[in-house]
Amino acid sequence: MRKKHVFIILALLSITILLQAQQPMNTMVVHADAAKDTISKNIYGHFAEHLGRCIYGGIWVGEDSLIPNTRGIRNDIVAALKKIKVAALRWPGGCFADEYHWMEGIGPRGERPKKVNTTWGGVVEDNSFGTHEFMDLCEQIGCEPVICGNIGSGTVKEMSDWVQYLTSDGDNPMAQLRRKNGREKPWKVRFWCVGNETWGCGGIMSAERYSEELARYSHFLKNYDGNTLYKISSGGLPEDYNWTETILKKWKNTDGWLQGYVSGYSLHFYTVNDWNKKGSATNFTEKEWFFTMKKTLEMDELIAKHSAILDRYDADKKIGLIVDEWGNWFDVEPGTNPAFLYQQNSLRDAVVAAVNLNIFHKHCGRVKMTNIAQMVNVLQSVILTREKEMVLTPTYYVFKMYSVHQDAVMLPVDLKSDVYANGTESIPALSASASRDRNGTIHISAANLHPTKAQTLRCELRGSAASKVNGEIITAETINAYNDFGKPETVNIRPFTGAQVQKGMLTVTLPARSVVTLEVK
Ligand code: AHR
């Protein structure tokens, strides 16, 4: 009798273990019946600073260059950027913004003063790329400009004049000057950063001091002729919640003054494991891969915590959280100028981009714009250039594949993921997000952070009876695969057939170290 019981128990146990082994460890519910917030296309924004070869050589080659260009701006770059639907572009910095005096960058190019870029390498800044060239770039790409004003070494007059120069159609000194410089009609400029990292390179201010400056500057940045500014407050260090609290308190308590002025609050967060030892962009271990993923996931907590403060002061979500600098920051490529921040871009960057974008989608009720740092040849770029050559990076392809989410309605997801462990630490192996576009098509994007293990995900599409699925994938043989000059592309978007759907139940097997986007109908 006893033996028989033991046998039955053992048999049941084995069956359970067997069944568990066959069950996918990853499950997800996509709430297609609970759509609420829209994923602003501006989440797909970029950042271009006068830093290294981002502007000069990367975007701007000048009208006399042998590299094909339109009014000095590289044609190949513009064509590539249009394909990923760049929504917004932040300029001229970064830290450079606080040493930039816009009046030096207008008028005949030969007469513009040359100066030293003291922030980034002490190189000559000849001001050949200025306001008109930047606005031309945005028009050529078809994106919205995001201008970062100089609080650190500028004046209220200088910044308010810049707004007038750009946006006024009236009879006033700045609009007249713009006309004299060849632009009759004003431009439309919505996004305006009232300073950059004002805790550091933007003026080394305290939160209290900056909140006063924010009010003073914002008051004098006027709306002209139907142009309405969306003014963005500088944030503090990523985890400085006191800074957020101080600015928001001021925002709430100035008799409505600041509430009428400031519409956005900035958060900067870079993926860096150790600022003193950032590591190579391409020559890294699995341990470094793991810690890069782990660090990137901190973005979720940062956004959640800053949003919780914003929610207390601004329950109606009038203020957008603007993540206007994010991305991987590694060591510069050997032999390049350390101040130019030029780094290669591998499959690891692609997965990091996907994880960040999934996080931004999740928080799109509050996150209204983000700008990856930086567009060309600096940090986590989407494009690298060498003279007339151009390379599209793995990050570029994530932006291309994910562009289907722009202005789509976010579908909340409940993801229960297997773990990816390294030593004693672990993180979720999967990251995912979903949206429904204007045509009713659902897109699900997922990244498998595990470098060596495929993950099967079983997904319920609640509220949808979808029965057709197509997919695309970005992956490679190795974790550090990258695209290089003069070589065939190693990392690109390829068709993906590892998903099946039936009556709203989707099963997908994500290969190790991959990013996938599925279209379900
Ligand atoms: O993107 C490089 C620099 O990082 C920016 O200039 C600055 O804002 C940040 O610290």
Side-chain angles (χ1 to χ4, degrees):
M1 212 30 194
R2 260 212 197 139
K3 261 191 184 167
K4 196 175 159 194
H5 277 144
V6 172
F7 176 77
I8 292 170
I9 289 165
L10 278 176
L12 282 172
L13 257 175
S14 331
I15 290 167
T16 319
I17 290 168
L18 254 176
L19 279 175
Q20 272 179 357
Q22 282 168 6
Q23 288 286 321
M25 293 295 288
N26 305 291
T27 57
M28 183 160 85
V29 178
V30 173
H31 295 275
D33 53 353
K36 199 173 112 205
D37 298 312
T38 296
I39 297 171
S40 168
K41 66 176 182 187
N42 294 318
I43 282 179
Y44 290 79
H46 294 248
F47 172 36
E49 180 165 11
H50 288 235
L51 193 180
R53 295 187 302 112
C54 182
I55 300 287
Y56 297 114
I59 292 167
W60 175 258
V61 285
E63 286 166 315
D64 300 332
S65 172
L66 292 178
I67 299 173
N69 67 83
T70 301
R71 295 180 293 281
I73 296 165
R74 286 180 72 137
N75 292 344
D76 53 351
I77 298 285
V78 169
L81 293 172
K82 280 168 99 158
K83 286 195 188 130
I84 57 171
K85 300 191 183 133
V86 169
L89 179 57
R90 182 172 183 256
W91 173 84
C95 293
F96 179 79
D98 282 286
E99 67 164 288
Y100 186 63
H101 300 285
W102 69 272
M103 281 223 179
E104 296 172 350
I106 55 170
R109 269 183 223 116
E111 293 170 24
R112 297 184 194 173
K114 288 192 173 54
K115 56 191 282 187
V116 176
N117 184 335
T118 57
T119 309
W120 301 113
V123 294
V124 173
E125 163 64 63
D126 70 3
N127 278 303
S128 51
F129 189 89
T131 299
H132 290 249
E133 291 76 14
F134 172 66
M135 295 306 290
D136 190 13
L137 171 66
C138 292
E139 284 176 345
Q140 288 190 37
I141 299 172
C143 71
E144 274 204 63
V146 183
I147 292 194
C148 189
N150 176 350
I151 280 197
S153 69
T155 63
V156 173
K157 175 163 169 34
E158 184 183 16
M159 204 189 288
S160 61
D161 276 354
W162 202 3
V163 173
Q164 191 178 77
Y165 185 90
L166 282 156
T167 61
S168 168
D169 204 10
D171 186 11
N172 55 55
M174 291 303 115
Q176 295 294 12
L177 184 59
R178 184 195 66 238
R179 290 185 192 108
K180 189 172 147 238
N181 287 332
R183 173 81 186 196
E184 182 58 33
K185 284 282 151 207
W187 291 279
K188 286 273 182 249
V189 177
R190 190 156 55 122
F191 298 114
W192 198 279
C193 303
V194 190
N196 169 73
E197 296 192 357
T198 48
W199 52 268
C201 65
I204 326 169
M205 296 180 216
S206 65
E208 288 74 17
R209 164 84 199 284
Y210 173 65
S211 70
E212 302 291 331
E213 295 292 6
L214 174 66
R216 195 163 71 97
Y217 272 77
S218 302
H219 178 64
F220 293 101
L221 303 178
K222 306 291 181 187
N223 292 329
Y224 294 98
D225 303 308
N227 186 73
T228 307
L229 292 173
Y230 182 104
K231 294 169 202 162
I232 301 164
S233 159
S234 157
L237 280 160
E239 287 173 37
D240 191 346
Y241 301 108
N242 179 53
W243 184 288
T244 307
E245 189 85 43
T246 307
I247 303 299
L248 266 293
K249 207 176 275 171
K250 181 91 177 168
W251 182 81
K252 193 81 180 176
N253 297 338
T254 44
D255 290 336
W257 286 89
L258 263 192
Q259 286 184 51
Y261 298 150
V262 175
S263 317
Y265 183 79
S266 154
L267 168 67
H268 291 182
F269 177 59
Y270 285 97
T271 299
V272 190
N273 291 332
D274 176 351
W275 281 101
N276 298 315
K277 213 170 147 233
K278 297 191 271 306
S280 161
T282 51
N283 188 10
F284 55 85
T285 59
E286 195 208 311
K287 195 168 180 196
E288 286 173 273
W289 163 286
F290 175 84
F291 281 104
T292 301
M293 298 303 152
K294 186 165 181 273
K295 193 79 197 169
T296 303
L297 289 165
E298 286 177 21
M299 180 68 92
D300 188 31
E301 185 184 336
L302 285 168
I303 292 179
K305 287 189 171 165
H306 286 288
S307 296
I309 299 171
L310 287 162
D311 287 348
R312 270 197 282 114
Y313 290 94
D314 170 37
D316 300 337
K317 295 195 168 45
K318 288 190 198 134
I319 290 203
L321 188 59
I322 309 295
V323 189
D324 47 3
E325 288 188 31
W326 65 269
N328 279 327
W329 192 321
F330 298 123
D331 287 342
V332 298
E333 289 306 307
T336 64
N337 187 331
F340 281 14
L341 309 186
Y342 175 74
Q343 63 192 44
Q344 246 295 357
N345 193 289
S346 76
L347 180 66
R348 177 173 59 166
D349 293 84
V351 178
V352 163
V355 170
N356 274 309
L357 290 168
N358 288 338
I359 294 170
F360 300 147
H361 292 172
K362 172 179 164 187
H363 294 283
C364 69
R366 184 61 86 176
V367 175
K368 296 299 173 190
M369 176 163 66
T370 87
N371 308 80
I372 186 169
Q374 297 193 5
M375 193 174 233
V376 186
N377 292 333
V378 171
L379 300 176
Q380 192 177 344
S381 309
V382 289
I383 301 177
L384 304 174
T385 66
R386 187 176 68 181
E387 302 297 335
K388 64 176 187 338
E389 293 173 278
M390 174 181 90
V391 160
L392 304 178
T393 67
T395 301
Y396 175 91
Y397 287 113
V398 172
F399 271 76
K400 189 165 183 216
M401 197 167 78
Y402 268 53
S403 65
V404 291
H405 294 293
Q406 289 193 15
D407 280 342
V409 185
M410 187 269 286
L411 304 177
V413 299
D414 277 331
L415 172 63
K416 291 194 176 48
S417 171
D418 193 0
V419 293
Y420 161 30
N422 187 279
T424 52
E425 304 202 57
S426 66
I427 55 174
L430 294 180
S431 151
S433 65
S435 69
R436 183 169 45 227
D437 70 14
R438 282 199 188 99
N439 305 320
T441 305
I442 293 175
H443 291 103
I444 300 171
S445 288
N448 180 1
L449 283 56
H450 204 297
T452 53
K453 191 176 158 203
Q455 302 286 335
T456 296
L457 171 66
R458 191 140 169 79
C459 173
E460 178 196 345
L461 303 171
R462 197 165 288 171
S464 158
S467 59
K468 261 195 195 155
V469 60
N470 287 313
E472 291 184 326
I473 185 166
I474 298 170
T475 187
E477 289 293 310
T478 56
I479 53 174
N480 59 351
Y482 60 92
N483 297 335
D484 208 356
F485 298 99
K487 299 203 176 121
E489 273 189 344
T490 317
V491 191
N492 199 332
I493 301 172
R494 304 214 151 77
F496 174 68
T497 50
Q500 299 84 39
V501 67
Q502 236 187 9
K503 290 190 192 143
M505 285 307 293
L506 176 82
T507 307
V508 48
T509 300
L510 293 144
R513 52 180 188 284
S514 68
V515 183
V516 161
T517 293
L518 304 172
E519 178 190 85
V520 250
K521 285 184 182 164

